[in-house]
Amino acid sequence: MRNPFRRWGWTRSAAAAEQRSIGPGNVSWPTNDIASPAAASEYGALGLTPVFAAGRLLSSSVSSLPIQQYRRIGDATTKLPLAGLFRSPSAQGTIDDWIGRAMTSLVYRGNAVGLVMETDWLEYPTRIEWLNPALVYVQDQMPLGERGSFTDPVWTYCGVEIPAEDIVHIPWMTMPGRVWGLSPLAAYAVTVSTGLAAQKFVDDYFRNGGQPPGHFRNTAQTVNQADANVIKRRLVDAIRSREPIVYGKDWEYAPITISVAEAQFCETQRLTATQIAAVYGIPPEKIGGETGGSYTYSSPEQRQIEFITDALLPYLVKLENHLSAQLPRGQYIKFNADALIRVDILTRHSVYEKSRLIGLNNLDELRAREDEPPLPDGRGQDYTPLPIQAGAAVHVPQIRGERPPHDGGLRLVKTQGRDHG
């Protein structure tokens, strides 16, 4: 078992000295000067509902997917039990918590940085802890071939250098010649800044009492405060009861309408959510945005498939490739993205039937998907489709009215122009 902190001389004082938050001056993608500082901070940006919703959706979707491990030798693929890394990868939480932390770091910081904490006797990782990217620094801008370059980066955590072989780094997007990934928060900092400003505007508006719905004025005489309070109460009661307001010729009522700038608040919020959804490839309506008209005619299943393809697949491929690199040669992991597509029971069983017919799954595997036990005596382990089992004798009746023997499947035999089962 490794003890990396002791080996590198990491101390509590070093961590305190190096703690920092992401800001306009320390991100890999320079933020626009017109963006507010809060927009470049993940804690500030998380105050914007679409940003939080996007991260929650991506992180929870990926972390909920089942993981399967395989070994490939030539053209033969064998399913394996999960390695220790994927059974108990962290000191805190379960595998879904561990995947969720990696995804949250990728979504908001553009980098997931893991520290190898324990290995097996072959030096393959059995425990990896994801680090806070704010405490990680990588030197990767020196000329090629030199220490601290793209080909030989220098990693530092809390001010202490870490050997590259103890780092598991998954970037979101990288520029050529750079190791550190681009920060999504920095990329759309202006969009987040606009959304935060609109959110603050409406908060200030209601904190200050908003604005009165209108004014009721007497044009002929001055009304004292006591009479004004009585008149105001009667007017409010009439408005709340949705009854007509009746007043004499000396009174006039003028409702106060919201200004054009204030009316744009909701539109600004929808536009912000739509733009953030475009950054992550998420359907806008999932985080409060607005979708084009043609999209509304697609089925829920089609929309879910598009969500997996456009938003989740890029993250899944990155996680699969980088995490498979921590396994022995020839072994790899895959996320079962089909688990997110839940169809109706009739369609699901129709798919099962076709999978059984072409020998893709045996009966026990299909029963396991429905949380049913295997068939007794190993009868569900056969991959050969029942109607065409090898070596099964098939008797085709030639005489009208003769019934074919039961062979596990339904056969149609045409005799004298009529079909018999």
Side-chain angles (χ1 to χ4, degrees), residues 2-10 115-116 123 160 162-163 165-166:
R2 298 184 181 185
N3 192 336
F5 297 125
R6 183 179 300 170
R7 188 177 74 186
W8 302 322
W10 185 87
L115 179 62
V116 177
E123 292 296 313
V160 178
I162 305 174
E165 61 268 20
D166 291 327

Side-chain angles (χ1 to χ4, degrees), residues 138-203:
V138 57
Q139 185 179 355
D140 60 357
Q141 300 186 64
M142 298 297 290
L144 287 180
E146 295 186 12
R147 192 168 186 271
S149 65
F150 172 76
T151 56
D152 187 16
V154 177
W155 293 89
T156 304
Y157 173 61
C158 292
V160 178
E161 184 177 334
I162 305 174
E165 61 268 20
D166 291 327
I167 290 291
V168 178
H169 176 223
I170 307 176
W172 178 59
M173 290 178 61
T174 53
M175 295 293 290
R178 297 296 303 273
V179 173
W180 196 248
L182 302 174
S183 168
L185 290 182
Y188 58 79
V190 175
T191 301
V192 175
S193 181
T194 301
L196 291 173
Q199 199 165 264
K200 186 176 185 304
F201 169 83
V202 75
D203 180 67

